[in-house]
Amino acid sequence: MKPKVITIIGLGLMGGSLAARCRKRYPSARIIGVSRQKQALALALRKKWIHRGTRNLSDAVIDSDLIVLCTPADTTFRFLKLLDAAAKPGAVVTDVGSVKERIQAWADSRRFKRIRFVGGHPMAGSHHRGIAAAHEDLYHKSTVFLVKSAATKPDAFRLVRSFWKQIGCRTVTLTGAAHDRIVAEISHWPHAVAAALVLATTSHSRRYAASGFLDSTRIAQGDPSIWMPIFMQNRREILRAAGSFEKRLRAFKTLLAKKNVSGIRAFLAQALRERRQISF
């Protein structure tokens, strides 16, 4: 079943881009946007990404078949409670948050009266923020992780999976724990590394930075208010990823200190081979 009314809560980069995509991929659906920012609502309406915009959550979800939370990770718990009191019975709720185990366990332990929750996380984004940076193609060909547990309602899961496929994404089903381990390695810890690379250089050296340094540190421009709850919620897996990274870094430092040319060459060659195996 295709949703007839889709409500997107949070019209920043992620929510604004999703609204734009929904208008193209769900032309017969009614798209409602929710934001605290009047400017975001005005822009989304002007671009015709949404049919209606409101700051009133209850009013926005009363007829919604599908509700997508595009808000910071530390707001998901609060919004699910509010939605369970305001949404129509049977409404499906999903999200775009990048930490899943904790919220899924919490959702599984609750007896929601109205909503059915399916955790999601599209691997899409940018260091830019706000609806001004939103664009229709942000999610194009992205991977979307969908969390499935014993408590997940099968029909709700099918609707969310179908939704993301219609948006143009590839879906991968896994547990919250498996998700958090993966993204700690390929997203969360790399963000900390990018920040450390910036802080490890002097302002004088950075004057001469070229594409290599700029590419390696681009994500350090991310908004700290978005990343802080991510680091705190996925702390255990990020620390595990940090330990693995430190082990590799120590190995390289030892090779360099000992002037082990063949060892350094092998280290770099292995990284080259494995990096080339990554497909986009």
Side-chain angles (χ1 to χ4, degrees):
M1 181 191 78
K2 288 188 176 181
K4 296 179 180 178
V5 181
I6 301 170
T7 295
I8 299 171
I9 300 174
L11 291 177
L13 170 70
M14 303 297 286
S17 297
L18 185 59
R21 193 72 169 176
C22 284
R23 282 302 304 267
K24 288 291 182 68
R25 294 303 181 102
Y26 284 92
S28 61
R30 183 167 175 78
I31 312 301
I32 300 172
V34 182
S35 176
R36 294 178 301 175
Q37 307 296 326
K38 292 182 179 180
Q39 299 92 330
L41 294 172
L43 181 59
L45 286 166
R46 187 165 67 249
K47 288 180 174 287
K48 297 183 178 180
W49 290 348
I50 58 176
H51 294 92
R52 185 166 70 89
T54 180
R55 301 170 72 184
N56 187 314
L57 182 69
S58 298
D59 180 55
V61 301
I62 194 169
D63 294 318
S64 298
D65 302 303
L66 177 65
I67 302 165
V68 187
L69 286 172
C70 297
T71 58
D74 57 345
T75 67
T76 306
F77 298 91
R78 178 171 61 87
F79 272 114
L80 288 179
K81 291 178 182 178
L82 292 172
L83 290 171
D84 196 40
K88 75 174 185 180
V92 175
V93 181
T94 189
D95 70 327
V96 301
S98 68
V99 185
K100 296 267 84 84
E101 183 178 19
R102 185 180 170 204
I103 187 64
Q104 190 64 49
W106 178 84
D108 288 350
S109 70
R110 291 185 66 87
R111 293 184 178 180
F112 290 122
K113 296 178 180 179
R114 293 172 175 266
I115 64 171
R116 296 171 293 165
F117 177 68
V118 179
H121 177 208
M123 294 298 289
S126 168
H127 61 276
H128 297 295
R129 65 171 302 190
I131 195 169
H135 58 92
E136 181 199 335
D137 293 328
L138 182 69
Y139 296 96
H140 183 58
K141 293 185 177 180
S142 294
T143 295
V144 177
F145 290 118
L146 297 178
V147 176
K148 194 173 188 179
S149 71
T152 303
K153 303 299 183 184
D155 55 341
F157 184 85
R158 286 193 294 269
L159 187 146
V160 173
R161 182 174 59 190
S162 174
F163 168 76
W164 283 113
K165 287 184 176 181
Q166 184 69 21
I167 291 299
C169 303
R170 177 178 74 102
T171 63
V172 175
T173 304
L174 74 182
T175 65
H179 166 274
D180 288 358
R181 174 161 289 202
I182 290 170
V183 296
E185 292 182 355
I186 64 172
S187 176
H188 300 168
W189 176 243
H191 189 94
V193 170
L197 281 172
V198 174
L199 297 175
T201 60
T202 64
S203 58
H204 176 74
S205 296
R206 288 195 294 270
R207 294 179 190 175
Y208 309 103
S211 58
F213 184 82
L214 297 176
D215 288 346
S216 299
T217 59
R218 177 186 60 81
I219 56 176
Q221 299 174 88
D223 184 353
S225 67
I226 298 295
W227 280 94
M228 275 302 301
I230 292 172
F231 286 139
M232 292 299 101
Q233 288 189 20
N234 203 24
R235 177 174 171 269
R236 183 186 64 207
E237 290 299 336
I238 294 171
L239 288 172
R240 186 195 61 80
S244 178
F245 180 89
E246 289 167 347
K247 180 180 178 181
R248 294 288 186 174
L249 187 60
R250 283 195 301 270
F252 179 80
K253 287 176 66 177
T254 299
L255 292 171
L256 188 60
K258 293 182 177 181
K259 300 180 181 179
N260 187 335
V261 175
S262 61
I264 294 172
R265 183 180 292 112
F267 182 96
L268 296 176
Q270 181 183 358
L272 174 63
R273 288 193 303 272
E274 297 194 17
R275 176 61 178 83
R276 283 179 172 173
Q277 291 174 9
I278 302 174
S279 59
F280 294 94

